[in-house]
Amino acid sequence: MNFITSLPWWVYLVLIIVTIILRDIFQKRHTIVHNFPLIGHIRYLLESIGPELRQYIVANNREELPFNRRQRSWVYASSKKENHYQGFGTDQDIHEAGYIFIKPALMPLKTDPNESFDKPCASAKIMGAHRDKPYRPKSIINISAMSYGSLSAAAVSALNQGAHQFGCYHNTGEGGLSPYHKFGSDVCFHFGTGYFGVRDHDGNFDLDKMVALVQANPNIKMIEVKLSQGAKPGKGGVLPGSKITKELAEIRHVKVGEAVLSPASHSAFSNIPEMVDFIETIAKHTGLPVGIKAAVGKLEMWEELAILMKDTGYGPDFITIDGGEGGTGAAPPSFADHVALPWVYAFSSVYKVFQRYGLTQRITFIGSGKLGMPDSAIMALAMGVDIINVAREALMSIGCIQAQVCHTNRCPTGIATNNKWLEAGLDPALKSVRFANYMKTLTKEIIEITHACGYEHPSQFNMDDIDVSMGDNAHTAPLRLAYGYQKDEVVMAKD
C-alpha cells in the first residue's frame, strides 16, 4: 500500500490513459473510438458542442435557424432595455425571395411627441361578442400555448408575472392550469386530445370539470381547443410516467408515475358538425369565447366549417393558425420539417376560405409561428391577423439561448426542464421584468411603424402596404398579388 501511494503522479496518469485505450480497443459499440483509441473521443466531443460552436463562432448574423443571431440579439437587448439599434445600414440581403418591405407614408400620422408606448395596444375585435362573457384582449401580442411540465415552474411563473405587468394574456398550453398561471394575468385555457385538467378517469372530456375550473378561476377569459400544432400536426404524444409528479398529476388529472397518452385525434368529436356542437356546448355552459387552434394542410374541412358557420351562425369565436415551422414542442424531424404548411401559406389559405363566406368580421384570427419580430408581426396583421401569439421569442426574452435541447430535460437556462438544479438559476422576479420589457419594445416598434405608415392602429394595415421580394424575378409584389386576396377592412370595437 505504501508503494502505491508513493508513486509519482505521472504514473497514475499513464495508468489511466492505458486503461482508457484498452477499454476503447476492446469495446465494439463505436468504430471510431476502437480504431483511434483516446483520440476518437475528441470527435464525439466536437459533435456534441457543434451547435454551440456554429451559433457563437462560425455562423454569421443571418445564417442560423430557427432564429438567427441578429434576431436573438434584438430580443435579448429589448428584454434588458439595452441599445437594440443598429448602425451603418442593414446587413440583410434585401433582394432574397420573401424579403419584407413595409411602405411608409409620405406624410406620417401626427402623434403626441410625449406619447408613451409602455402599454399594450388593444385588439381591434371583441371575441365572442354574442357570448355571455365576451372578451377584448388588452394586447395584440400575447403568450402562445406552452405547458407547465414542458416548461419549468420558474419559467411559467416568469411569463405569467410578466404578462400581468405588461397586460397581455397567457395561454396555458395543453398541460392544464397550474398554480404558476395565477399571478394576475388574463389566461387562455388551452386543451388538446388528452383533455388535461378537464378529463374524467377514462381520459375523456368532462364538461363539469371545465365549468368548475372556469368558475373557480375568473382569470380564464377564453378557451382554446387544440386540433393540431405546428411542431407535430396530426401526431399524438406520450408523457412518460417518470415525469408525472404528484403536482403534475393533480393539475392534469392523471395518475402519479403512470405514462399518459395524448391521442392524435379527439374523442369528444370526430367531424366538423360534432366539433361545432362541442364548441357551442362549452361556450353555453361557461359563457366564454371558445376557439380552435390548428396547423394547416388540406382545406376541405375548413371549407365545411365555413359553410356550417355561415348556415347556422354557430362555430368558433376565434381561430389560431399555427405555422408548420414548428414551435416549442418536440417532434420527429419528419413532422417538424415537412408536415403542414408554413405560416404565410397556411394563414392566407384559411383566411380566403372564411372571406368567401363573409365571416372575417365575426372571427378573431390569431397567428403563431415566428411572428414575434416587428416586421413579421406587421406582415401578419396586414394579411388579416387580429392577434399574434409568441412562444420562442417569449422564451428568449427570459433567457433561452436556442440550445435546442428542449426535449432532453437538460435545458441549460432552466426554462424547458424540471431539473431543479437547472431551474434554480432562473429568477422569476427578474425574468418577468425582462419579458415585459420585450413586449413593450415589440409593441412600441409596431406602433411606431404603424404611425410611419399613416395609420393609428395596426389593424388598419392592408396587403398593399407590404411588398415582398419575388427573388429571381427581380421585382417585388404587394402581398395582395403574392397571395391572391385583399384583407377585409377591420371594424374597430367600441369600448
Side-chain angles (χ1 to χ4, degrees), residues 150-470:
S150 296
L151 301 188
S152 67
V156 176
S157 298
L159 291 174
N160 195 264
Q161 292 175 45
H164 178 53
Q165 293 168 28
F166 175 68
C168 66
Y169 70 69
H170 187 177
N171 191 310
T172 64
E174 63 179 309
L177 183 72
S178 74
Y180 314 107
H181 291 105
K182 300 180 182 180
F183 289 98
S185 79
D186 290 348
V187 166
C188 172
F189 180 77
H190 170 108
F191 67 89
T193 58
Y195 306 114
F196 297 128
V198 289
R199 57 188 267 149
D200 62 19
H201 294 298
D202 298 319
N204 297 313
F205 178 74
D206 189 321
L207 180 61
D208 291 337
K209 287 186 176 180
M210 171 64 83
V211 173
L213 184 74
V214 170
Q215 290 177 344
N217 297 278
N219 58 323
I220 298 178
K221 303 297 184 181
M222 52 196 281
I223 297 169
E224 185 173 72
V225 183
K226 189 191 87 169
L227 305 180
S228 61
Q229 67 183 94
K232 46 183 176 181
K235 179 176 172 57
V238 177
L239 188 64
S242 59
K243 287 192 173 183
I244 306 294
T245 62
K246 183 176 183 295
E247 183 184 44
L248 274 178
E250 291 174 353
I251 292 168
R252 300 194 178 200
H253 298 176
V254 297
K255 295 180 181 178
V256 178
E258 189 172 299
V260 180
L261 171 67
S262 294
S265 56
H266 280 266
S267 61
F269 53 86
S270 58
N271 55 48
I272 296 298
E274 289 178 0
M275 183 187 76
V276 170
D277 288 343
F278 181 70
I279 289 170
E280 291 298 323
T281 298
I282 295 175
K284 177 182 177 181
H285 285 82
T286 64
L288 297 177
V290 180
I292 58 175
K293 172 183 176 177
V296 178
K298 299 177 181 179
L299 295 176
E300 293 88 347
M301 286 190 173
W302 290 104
E303 189 90 24
E304 183 183 354
L305 175 59
I307 292 171
L308 186 60
M309 291 180 67
K310 179 69 173 179
D311 292 344
T312 66
Y314 299 134
D317 300 300
F318 62 92
I319 295 175
T320 303
I321 298 299
D322 211 12
E325 295 90 338
T328 55
S334 56
F335 272 81
D337 295 344
H338 300 288
V339 182
L341 294 173
W343 188 86
V344 288
Y345 305 121
F347 180 79
S348 58
S349 299
V350 170
Y351 187 90
K352 285 188 284 188
V353 170
F354 289 95
Q355 187 181 52
R356 283 200 300 271
Y357 295 95
L359 297 169
T360 59
Q361 291 295 345
R362 175 178 156 189
I363 299 167
T364 298
F365 289 101
I366 302 175
S368 61
K370 296 181 67 176
L371 301 178
M373 302 290 168
D375 57 316
S376 55
I378 288 172
M379 178 196 68
L381 292 160
M383 293 177 70
V385 161
D386 301 295
I387 291 170
I388 289 164
N389 283 352
V390 295
R392 287 171 286 185
E393 300 93 328
L395 298 187
M396 286 191 285
S397 75
I398 63 170
C400 169
I401 60 170
Q402 194 171 276
Q404 295 182 277
V405 292
C406 315
H407 57 296
T408 66
N409 203 35
R410 299 195 305 270
C411 173
T413 61
I415 294 173
T417 179
N418 58 16
N419 181 301
K420 294 303 180 184
W421 171 259
L422 296 173
E423 184 183 352
L426 196 161
D427 178 8
L430 170 64
K431 300 299 186 180
S432 64
V433 173
R434 294 201 176 166
F435 170 71
N437 288 339
Y438 157 69
M439 293 291 280
K440 289 175 184 177
T441 304
L442 175 58
T443 302
K444 177 178 182 288
E445 292 204 8
I446 290 173
I447 297 301
E448 287 180 332
I449 295 173
T450 299
H451 293 170
C453 294
Y455 296 129
E456 196 168 349
H457 190 279
S459 67
Q460 295 174 283
F461 277 105
N462 66 64
M463 300 184 74
D464 283 321
D465 292 319
I466 313 291
D467 271 13
V468 60
S469 174
M470 306 306 289

Side-chain angles (χ1 to χ4, degrees), residues 4-281:
I4 294 175
T5 56
S6 64
L7 291 174
W9 66 266
W10 59 266
V11 174
Y12 294 107
L13 180 61
V14 170
L15 289 173
I16 291 171
I17 292 173
V18 170
T19 301
I20 294 173
I21 290 174
L22 290 174
R23 187 199 64 180
D24 290 347
I25 291 173
F26 287 105
Q27 64 82 34
K28 299 297 183 183
R29 294 182 61 191
H30 303 289
T31 304
I32 295 294
V33 172
H34 174 273
N35 293 346
F36 302 94
L38 197 62
I39 296 175
H41 291 283
I42 297 174
R43 182 262 184 195
Y44 294 102
L45 173 64
L46 292 174
E47 182 182 43
S48 69
I49 62 174
E52 287 79 5
L53 290 174
R54 291 190 295 273
Q55 181 172 346
Y56 293 107
I57 300 173
V58 180
N60 67 33
N61 283 348
R62 301 292 186 184
E63 272 186 340
E64 299 168 280
L65 292 172
F67 294 90
N68 61 45
R69 186 182 298 137
R70 173 70 74 185
Q71 292 169 321
R72 297 197 313 275
S73 296
W74 181 84
V75 174
Y76 297 150
S78 298
S79 67
K80 298 173 185 176
K81 300 188 78 171
E82 295 176 351
N83 187 344
H84 59 271
Y85 285 53
Q86 70 180 56
F88 216 66
T90 181
D91 61 357
Q92 292 211 55
D93 179 4
I94 63 175
H95 300 289
E96 67 176 348
Y99 192 86
I100 297 168
F101 299 94
I102 302 169
K103 301 176 184 177
L106 184 61
M107 300 291 177
L109 183 73
K110 290 184 178 180
T111 58
D112 182 354
N114 298 316
E115 180 181 3
S116 171
F117 294 99
D118 288 350
K119 59 183 184 297
C121 173
S123 167
K125 290 181 181 176
I126 295 174
M127 287 185 186
H130 61 296
R131 304 297 187 192
D132 291 341
K133 301 174 184 176
Y135 176 55
R136 185 185 183 188
K138 296 187 284 289
S139 173
I140 56 171
I141 313 294
N142 298 276
I143 301 174
S144 193
M146 296 181 285
S147 304
Y148 168 57
S150 296
L151 301 188
S152 67
V156 176
S157 298
L159 291 174
N160 195 264
Q161 292 175 45
H164 178 53
Q165 293 168 28
F166 175 68
C168 66
Y169 70 69
H170 187 177
N171 191 310
T172 64
E174 63 179 309
L177 183 72
S178 74
Y180 314 107
H181 291 105
K182 300 180 182 180
F183 289 98
S185 79
D186 290 348
V187 166
C188 172
F189 180 77
H190 170 108
F191 67 89
T193 58
Y195 306 114
F196 297 128
V198 289
R199 57 188 267 149
D200 62 19
H201 294 298
D202 298 319
N204 297 313
F205 178 74
D206 189 321
L207 180 61
D208 291 337
K209 287 186 176 180
M210 171 64 83
V211 173
L213 184 74
V214 170
Q215 290 177 344
N217 297 278
N219 58 323
I220 298 178
K221 303 297 184 181
M222 52 196 281
I223 297 169
E224 185 173 72
V225 183
K226 189 191 87 169
L227 305 180
S228 61
Q229 67 183 94
K232 46 183 176 181
K235 179 176 172 57
V238 177
L239 188 64
S242 59
K243 287 192 173 183
I244 306 294
T245 62
K246 183 176 183 295
E247 183 184 44
L248 274 178
E250 291 174 353
I251 292 168
R252 300 194 178 200
H253 298 176
V254 297
K255 295 180 181 178
V256 178
E258 189 172 299
V260 180
L261 171 67
S262 294
S265 56
H266 280 266
S267 61
F269 53 86
S270 58
N271 55 48
I272 296 298
E274 289 178 0
M275 183 187 76
V276 170
D277 288 343
F278 181 70
I279 289 170
E280 291 298 323
T281 298

